[in-house]
PDB file of all heavy atoms in Angstrom:
ATOM      1  N   LYS A 327      10.172  11.376  11.439  1.00  0.00           N
ATOM      2  CA  LYS A 327       8.947  11.447  12.201  1.00  0.00           C
ATOM      3  C   LYS A 327       9.205  11.776  13.667  1.00  0.00           C
ATOM      4  O   LYS A 327      10.250  11.480  14.228  1.00  0.00           O
ATOM      5  CB  LYS A 327       8.187  10.125  12.091  1.00  0.00           C
ATOM      6  CG  LYS A 327       7.542   9.901  10.718  1.00  0.00           C
ATOM      7  CD  LYS A 327       6.718   8.642  10.693  1.00  0.00           C
ATOM      8  CE  LYS A 327       6.006   8.449   9.355  1.00  0.00           C
ATOM      9  NZ  LYS A 327       5.190   7.226   9.348  1.00  0.00           N
ATOM     10  N   ASP A 328       8.167  12.348  14.299  1.00  0.00           N
ATOM     11  CA  ASP A 328       8.168  12.578  15.719  1.00  0.00           C
ATOM     12  C   ASP A 328       7.941  11.226  16.417  1.00  0.00           C
ATOM     13  O   ASP A 328       6.981  10.541  16.116  1.00  0.00           O
ATOM     14  CB  ASP A 328       7.089  13.588  16.086  1.00  0.00           C
ATOM     15  CG  ASP A 328       6.954  13.745  17.615  1.00  0.00           C
ATOM     16  OD1 ASP A 328       7.957  14.205  18.220  1.00  0.00           O
ATOM     17  OD2 ASP A 328       5.864  13.456  18.150  1.00  0.00           O
ATOM     18  N   ALA A 329       8.807  10.873  17.345  1.00  0.00           N
ATOM     19  CA  ALA A 329       8.750   9.537  17.947  1.00  0.00           C
ATOM     20  C   ALA A 329       7.464   9.288  18.712  1.00  0.00           C
ATOM     21  O   ALA A 329       6.945   8.200  18.726  1.00  0.00           O
ATOM     22  CB  ALA A 329       9.951   9.366  18.894  1.00  0.00           C
ATOM     23  N   LEU A 330       6.871  10.327  19.321  1.00  0.00           N
ATOM     24  CA  LEU A 330       5.682  10.153  20.151  1.00  0.00           C
ATOM     25  C   LEU A 330       4.405  10.070  19.297  1.00  0.00           C
ATOM     26  O   LEU A 330       3.605   9.145  19.459  1.00  0.00           O
ATOM     27  CB  LEU A 330       5.561  11.275  21.168  1.00  0.00           C
ATOM     28  CG  LEU A 330       4.307  11.220  22.052  1.00  0.00           C
ATOM     29  CD1 LEU A 330       4.348   9.968  22.949  1.00  0.00           C
ATOM     30  CD2 LEU A 330       4.230  12.499  22.918  1.00  0.00           C
ATOM     31  N   THR A 331       4.244  11.014  18.366  1.00  0.00           N
ATOM     32  CA  THR A 331       2.952  11.146  17.680  1.00  0.00           C
ATOM     33  C   THR A 331       2.903  10.431  16.338  1.00  0.00           C
ATOM     34  O   THR A 331       1.856  10.133  15.783  1.00  0.00           O
ATOM     35  CB  THR A 331       2.619  12.604  17.474  1.00  0.00           C
ATOM     36  OG1 THR A 331       3.649  13.211  16.652  1.00  0.00           O
ATOM     37  CG2 THR A 331       2.505  13.344  18.784  1.00  0.00           C
ATOM     38  N   GLY A 332       4.088  10.179  15.753  1.00  0.00           N
ATOM     39  CA  GLY A 332       4.152   9.504  14.445  1.00  0.00           C
ATOM     40  C   GLY A 332       3.986  10.471  13.270  1.00  0.00           C
ATOM     41  O   GLY A 332       4.040  10.037  12.125  1.00  0.00           O
ATOM     42  N   ILE A 333       3.754  11.757  13.522  1.00  0.00           N
ATOM     43  CA  ILE A 333       3.696  12.701  12.434  1.00  0.00           C
ATOM     44  C   ILE A 333       5.072  13.357  12.231  1.00  0.00           C
ATOM     45  O   ILE A 333       5.998  12.984  12.943  1.00  0.00           O
ATOM     46  CB  ILE A 333       2.603  13.805  12.715  1.00  0.00           C
ATOM     47  CG1 ILE A 333       2.865  14.514  14.038  1.00  0.00           C
ATOM     48  CG2 ILE A 333       1.239  13.178  12.696  1.00  0.00           C
ATOM     49  CD1 ILE A 333       1.855  15.618  14.350  1.00  0.00           C
ATOM     50  N   LYS A 334       5.216  14.285  11.334  1.00  0.00           N
ATOM     51  CA  LYS A 334       6.513  14.857  11.024  1.00  0.00           C
ATOM     52  C   LYS A 334       7.106  15.578  12.242  1.00  0.00           C
ATOM     53  O   LYS A 334       6.359  16.155  13.007  1.00  0.00           O
ATOM     54  CB  LYS A 334       6.408  15.813   9.839  1.00  0.00           C
ATOM     55  CG  LYS A 334       6.065  15.131   8.535  1.00  0.00           C
ATOM     56  CD  LYS A 334       5.860  16.142   7.428  1.00  0.00           C
ATOM     57  CE  LYS A 334       5.683  15.485   6.056  1.00  0.00           C
ATOM     58  NZ  LYS A 334       4.730  14.399   5.973  1.00  0.00           N
TER      59      LYS A 334
END
Side-chain angles (χ1 to χ4, degrees):
K327 288 184 177 181
D328 174 62
L330 178 64
T331 61
I333 56 178
K334 292 175 172 51

